[in-house]
Amino acid sequence: MMKELKKLVFATNNQHKLEEARAITAGKFELLSLADIDCHDDIPETAPTLEGNALIKARWIHDRYGFDCFADDTGLMVDALGGEPGVMSARYAGPGHDSEANMKKLLRNLEGQTDRKAHFSTCVALILDGKEYLFEGRVDGTIADTPAGENGFGYDPIFIADETGRRFAEMSADEKNEISHRGRAMRKLSEFLAD
């Protein structure tokens, strides 16, 4: 008899993130989206840190909907820009979550810069049986001069991972999940949940 998988809500409306998370956690637990629990709230992300925003989102779902859940926040930190866009990565060019505009603004701000070092960080906040846990993932790289590649989302066409020398957008989903910040944070979460 197959044991029923534990239900866990991923507090995101981002289809790309959901697909990545389902691929990484397949078979370990049943991953529900906000739509699956009929949550259409505009959850505020007002903290100055990735950890803070991830906790805000996880607590929102846990407190209002009663589910065990996790939420993530991700930022791209560029050394030459003092860590920008950072916590504002998704809204760098304005509130519309416009990936194209965000990338263009970043490339504009880096014009003439020789130091193009950057890293992606993801923080995952889990609330399980009333307890809070944090998991982090990081990948180092550089920002390319121009976008390339067909895959991924967000800043993937301009982020070159140190480990592969390729842009995230030039990798398959599996290749990216293997080394990405979110992949690393999700595997820590997954290993924790497996124990």
Side-chain angles (χ1 to χ4, degrees), residues 78-81 106-117 143 145:
V78 180
D79 292 9
L81 300 178
L106 183 63
L107 290 174
R108 241 189 348 266
N109 289 347
L110 275 176
E111 272 171 21
Q113 284 287 351
T114 51
D115 176 11
R116 300 180 79 87
K117 283 200 288 295
I143 302 300
D145 294 323

Side-chain angles (χ1 to χ4, degrees), residues 10 12 14-22 24-25 57 70-75 90 120-124 135-139 152-156 168 176-190:
F10 184 8
T12 186
N14 184 317
Q15 218 33 55
H16 296 292
K17 281 186 183 182
L18 202 56
E19 283 163 22
E20 277 185 5
R22 282 193 171 134
I24 292 162
T25 58
K57 291 186 275 190
F70 67 93
D72 79 317
D73 200 24
T74 293
F120 266 119
S121 279
T122 291
C123 182
V124 173
F135 307 91
E136 290 181 68
R138 173 182 167 137
V139 63
F153 59 99
Y155 296 93
D156 288 357
F168 273 171
K176 179 188 168 188
N177 284 340
E178 199 55 46
I179 65 161
S180 80
H181 45 296
R182 188 171 300 104
R184 287 176 171 154
M186 291 296 294
R187 272 190 296 281
K188 288 178 185 173
L189 168 72
S190 191

Side-chain angles (χ1 to χ4, degrees), residues 19-36:
E19 283 163 22
E20 277 185 5
R22 282 193 171 134
I24 292 162
T25 58
K28 295 197 176 76
F29 42 92
E30 186 186 345
L31 205 54
L32 304 175
S33 68
L34 291 177
D36 292 333

